[in-house]
Amino acid sequence: MASTRKLRILCIHGYRQNAHTFKDKTGAFRKLLKNHAEIVYITAPHKVPPGNLGSAAWTGQPVSDNPPDEKAEERGWWFSREDDYFKSTEYSDVSKGFQTSVDQIVEFLEDSKDGNFDGILGFSQGACLVSMLCRMQQNGQKNWFKFAVLIAGFKSRSSNHEIYYPKDVCIPIPTLHVYGDGDQIVSAEMSEELLQYFEDPKCLTHPGGHFVPASGSQKKTYLEFFTEMVDVCGISSAVKS
């Protein structure tokens, strides 16, 4: 019998963000899904050194010389250089800190108290990480989540991550790929490159830049996808209203 509850989604923030800042930035998105989903945020384990900016976190992000407080502390899931620097377009043989981040997320997904997620959502570097977690789940025959949302996602440029992008076997779980035609940090072409690794990916494009869109023009696609995921996850139709 289907249960009556909301979808439970784990959110993976982007580079130079953390759980607090990403939650603040996604207020409109959370409001849009308030009747459909419980959204949980997690912070990356690695601090981004001050002044070592690399990829920007968000369209229009101001640069400040002031040290951030704990809630604004910039974090990353891995670095593409040994000096703790990351850029989404940079090809590299380095993925410093990657396994630590994977271990943290997997432990969270499998925890009997904090786990039991229906879906996972990633933004930018977080979406790139989600693409690899989807492959890890498939390869390991795990059941961490049943769907994924990748916003401003891209294929990792680290040579260490090539194993997660074989072209002969597509990842079968339902995915929604969201990206902006005006994104100057992760181009639409980079996000589209990721589509080939998923079976029947759904797409939502918007004219804006590097952020999570949540305006009226995107609402219909979001709600259609998440309503479908309610059925995929075996949840009662009571949460669809």
Side-chain angles (χ1 to χ4, degrees):
M1 181 178 179
S3 61
T4 302
R5 60 176 178 81
K6 295 180 180 180
L7 293 167
R8 197 158 189 261
I9 303 171
L10 179 63
C11 279
I12 312 297
H13 63 76
Y15 187 66
R16 293 177 57 199
Q17 298 178 341
N18 62 45
H20 298 289
T21 57
F22 192 46
K23 184 176 181 179
D24 287 344
K25 289 288 189 179
T26 53
F29 179 78
R30 287 186 288 113
K31 183 177 181 180
L32 188 152
L33 294 181
K34 66 180 181 179
N35 293 328
H36 293 255
E38 173 195 355
I39 301 178
V40 179
Y41 295 80
I42 185 173
T43 293
H46 309 298
K47 296 181 181 180
V48 176
N52 212 4
L53 301 181
S55 290
W58 202 267
T59 293
Q61 179 190 26
V63 176
S64 174
D65 294 327
N66 298 321
D69 60 32
E70 184 178 348
K71 287 188 175 182
E73 190 173 62
E74 296 181 343
R75 296 291 185 110
W77 297 104
W78 75 92
F79 301 106
S80 54
R81 297 183 193 173
E82 292 293 347
D83 63 348
D84 296 353
Y85 174 96
F86 175 83
K87 195 166 187 178
S88 60
T89 56
E90 183 174 76
Y91 287 88
S92 171
D93 294 328
V94 176
S95 55
K96 184 179 178 182
F98 177 76
Q99 191 58 50
T100 299
S101 292
V102 170
D103 291 345
Q104 174 185 316
I105 293 172
V106 169
E107 181 180 4
F108 198 75
L109 287 166
E110 294 183 345
D111 185 271
S112 59
K113 178 182 177 182
D114 294 320
N116 300 314
F117 287 96
D118 299 297
I120 191 167
L121 179 152
F123 173 71
S124 195
Q125 190 191 48
C128 178
L129 178 53
V130 165
S131 74
M132 292 184 278
L133 287 167
C134 288
R135 181 68 72 182
M136 292 176 201
Q137 174 174 256
Q138 180 189 28
N139 291 347
Q141 298 183 326
K142 302 293 185 180
N143 189 30
W144 296 329
F145 44 83
K146 294 181 176 64
F147 66 88
V149 180
L150 300 92
I151 304 175
F154 57 93
K155 177 184 175 182
S156 173
R157 268 47 180 167
S158 170
S159 61
N160 299 323
H161 297 158
E162 279 296 323
I163 59 172
Y164 302 117
Y165 299 102
K167 293 184 178 180
D168 55 335
V169 181
C170 289
I171 299 169
I173 70 167
T175 54
L176 176 64
H177 300 255
V178 184
Y179 51 94
D181 292 329
D183 196 328
Q184 300 298 309
I185 300 166
V186 175
S187 68
E189 291 75 17
M190 289 175 67
S191 292
E192 289 168 349
E193 180 188 16
L194 201 53
L195 300 178
Q196 64 187 300
Y197 301 105
F198 293 89
E199 188 176 300
D200 193 26
K202 292 182 170 57
C203 296
L204 169 58
T205 62
H206 62 95
H210 199 63
F211 57 85
V212 178
S215 66
S217 58
Q218 290 98 39
K219 181 177 180 179
K220 180 176 182 290
T221 302
Y222 279 133
L223 294 185
E224 285 178 350
F225 179 79
F226 286 109
T227 297
E228 183 180 340
M229 293 309 100
V230 164
D231 292 332
V232 166
C233 297
I235 300 173
S236 170
S237 60
V239 293
K240 295 182 183 180
S241 58

